Structure formats: C-alpha cells, structure tokens
Amino acid sequence: MNPEISVIIAAYNVQDYISHCITSLLNQTFANWEAIIYDDGSTDSTVNVVMNHNDFRIKLIKGCINQGIGIARQCAFAQSSGKYIYILDADDWIEKDPFEIML
C-alpha cells in the first residue's frame, strides 16, 4: 500500500534534534505516511540517531558530501511515493494530529 503522505526531511548535523523530529512523526494519529530522510553528508552522529528509530515508514538516504538543502530535498522527493508531500525540517517537530486534520 502506498503512503498517503511523504514527509521530506533534509538533515545535516542535527544529531541533537532529529530524534525529537522523528518521534513527533511516530506519534501521529494518522499512520499512513512515510518519512524520507536525506542525510546531506553529516559529520556528526545524525545517521546513527536516525537508524536507532526502527520503523518501516522511515527511509534513510545517505549523501556523501554536503550539497545543501535544495539538493537534499530534491533527492528525498525523488524517492517519495506518497500522494501528498510534507516538508519538515530536521530540527522541528509537529503536533500529533496535523496529518489527520489536513486530510
């Protein structure tokens, strides 16, 4: 089944924030989403933090070098399969019901 919403997250050196971002997605009242997280060549533990969240809806793409948020979002978007796109910054989080309300 294809996800209704693809959440696009560009990540670069956000080890201190991304766990809270991912947890806010996992707590959604609407469950039919995927998160495409593009790590834009982080030099900290961002990738390890993302990999600690074991959920089939979270897809991690690892970039080799930092190319900027635009390229990171484009790469994540190219891997998305949802009907709708939701852009979420890696150092932000969302309340538990925005997907349910929007749909």
Side-chain angles (χ1 to χ4, degrees), residues 5 27 40 42:
I5 300 170
N27 290 331
D40 197 23
S42 292

Side-chain angles (χ1 to χ4, degrees), residues 28-43:
Q28 289 301 298
T29 56
F30 181 81
N32 190 15
W33 54 265
E34 68 177 352
I36 312 296
I37 301 172
Y38 185 90
D39 179 73
D40 197 23
S42 292
T43 57

Side-chain angles (χ1 to χ4, degrees), residues 2-19:
N2 284 342
E4 190 79 12
I5 300 170
S6 291
V7 181
I8 304 298
I9 303 171
Y12 178 71
N13 289 345
V14 288
Q15 69 181 13
D16 295 334
Y17 310 104
I18 195 152
S19 185

Side-chain angles (χ1 to χ4, degrees), residues 9 13 29 33 38 41 49 52 56 60 63 67 69 72 77 82 89-90 97:
I9 303 171
N13 289 345
T29 56
W33 54 265
Y38 185 90
V49 173
N52 284 334
F56 72 95
L60 174 65
Q67 297 182 40
I69 195 167
F77 179 77
D89 289 333
D97 59 356

Side-chain angles (χ1 to χ4, degrees), residues 51-67:
M51 291 174 55
N52 284 334
H53 292 276
N54 189 17
D55 189 289
F56 72 95
R57 297 171 292 181
I58 299 170
K59 298 166 180 67
L60 174 65
I61 303 167
K62 294 186 267 184
C64 297
I65 60 170
N66 181 264
Q67 297 182 40

